[in-house]
Amino acid sequence: MAGALVVLGLGTGCSTDDTPAPSETSSATPTPTPTPTPPPRATEPPQPKKGSCHRLSFAEAVAPTADLKSVACAKAHTSETYAVGRVDNVVDGHLLAIDSARVQEQVASTCPGALQDAVGGTVDDVRLSMLRAVWFTPTVEQSDSGSDWYRCDVVALAGADELVSVRGSLAGALSTSEGRTTYGMCGTASPDEKDFERVPCARSHSWRAISVVGLPAGDYPGPDAIADAGSAPCQDAAADRAADPLDYEWAFEGPDRAQWRAGQTFIRCWAPD
């Protein structure tokens, strides 16, 4: 037992006369039994936290991995984590690499699908906004150390390659008319103009994305089919909001093949604002 003392008994000698022989006492210095050193405990890998806010550049936001360093959401930031989970990287008993196509496709499907619940509004409100989902997984080195999380962040696009600096949370932002205006999708020109650029409606603009037209899932329908599907609905949507129903402009913006593969299976209708 740890800390126990080993005590030796006292020995008594014998004598031939009646005088007792001097007694001799033998003792040992108490020696504590060494306590075993416990094995080192594994350090818990750092985990992302739902509701945390981050200062990411545009390039960092579209990268597959990101630093977990966060800032207070009341301070200026460019992304907010709205969902955290664990990847399913075991298939038929085999562990897939964190950067494998299957794992990355799983996260690329999960995060956009959860965006509406995070920012509020309808599916069309999200499609007509500048709010986008971005997602991250651990680095290969972090995965080798036991990390198996994924992280979904919402960002607000300020342009083609710029993010809006936000103060406060984007949770439920599209549930209010103010939020839909602030983060709505507008344009610097008609979408068929060369100098057209998407910007948040809170910034200077001349056109606004006003409605969407869903397209059937499946193979890419091609430009002609997209034009046929978008012309009448977009014209009607522009007429409904025009001051003069006989004098108005409208435009539509359909997905190209790359956008279709990325999940944009709808047309946006535009009108001057």
Side-chain angles (χ1 to χ4, degrees):
M1 178 180 293
L5 297 180
V6 179
V7 181
L8 300 182
L10 299 181
T12 303
C14 297
S15 175
T16 56
D17 57 20
D18 296 331
T19 304
S23 63
E24 295 180 358
T25 302
S26 175
S27 65
T29 302
T31 304
T33 302
T35 302
T37 302
R41 298 177 63 184
T43 302
E44 182 71 21
Q47 303 286 324
K49 295 181 179 179
K50 181 179 178 180
S52 59
C53 293
H54 313 269
R55 289 178 181 155
L56 303 179
S57 66
F58 181 86
E60 290 171 332
V62 298
T65 64
D67 196 323
L68 296 180
K69 184 169 61 176
S70 63
V71 298
C73 292
K75 296 183 177 181
H77 59 276
T78 55
S79 82
E80 180 179 346
T81 300
Y82 64 88
V84 173
R86 296 179 63 181
V87 299
D88 180 10
N89 58 345
V90 178
V91 177
D92 296 331
H94 298 286
L95 185 66
L96 299 180
I98 196 69
D99 58 352
S100 67
R102 179 158 181 160
V103 171
Q104 293 298 312
E105 288 169 3
Q106 173 196 147
V107 181
S109 173
T110 300
C111 289
L115 180 61
Q116 182 195 345
D117 286 343
V119 299
T122 66
V123 172
D124 284 359
D125 289 333
V126 176
R127 291 174 170 178
L128 293 173
S129 79
M130 297 294 280
L131 300 183
R132 294 291 181 272
V134 295
W135 48 90
F136 310 99
T137 54
T139 64
V140 173
E141 292 76 16
Q142 290 170 333
S143 177
D144 290 343
S145 297
S147 295
D148 59 357
W149 49 261
Y150 66 82
R151 163 184 151 194
C152 308
D153 282 19
V154 56
V155 299
L157 297 177
D161 56 2
E162 181 186 357
L163 301 179
V164 175
S165 180
V166 176
R167 289 181 183 272
S169 176
L170 288 173
L174 300 183
S175 297
T176 67
S177 58
E178 180 183 2
R180 290 191 293 273
T181 297
T182 300
Y183 299 110
M185 181 183 293
C186 285
T188 56
S190 169
D192 59 357
E193 297 289 337
K194 289 184 178 180
D195 59 349
F196 165 75
E197 183 180 6
R198 295 179 189 83
V199 294
C201 292
R203 297 194 176 187
S204 177
H205 63 275
S206 57
W207 283 65
R208 179 186 293 267
I210 58 172
S211 63
V212 298
V213 180
L215 296 168
D219 295 334
Y220 179 63
D224 292 341
I226 289 173
D228 290 343
S231 293
C234 289
Q235 184 175 1
D236 291 345
D240 288 344
R241 70 190 307 271
D244 184 350
L246 299 178
D247 183 17
Y248 60 91
E249 295 180 84
W250 59 277
F252 70 86
E253 180 191 17
D256 58 26
R257 192 175 297 274
Q259 291 170 326
W260 184 271
R261 285 197 301 266
Q264 183 183 329
T265 57
F266 58 89
I267 296 166
R268 287 192 184 94
C269 302
W270 291 77
D273 194 35

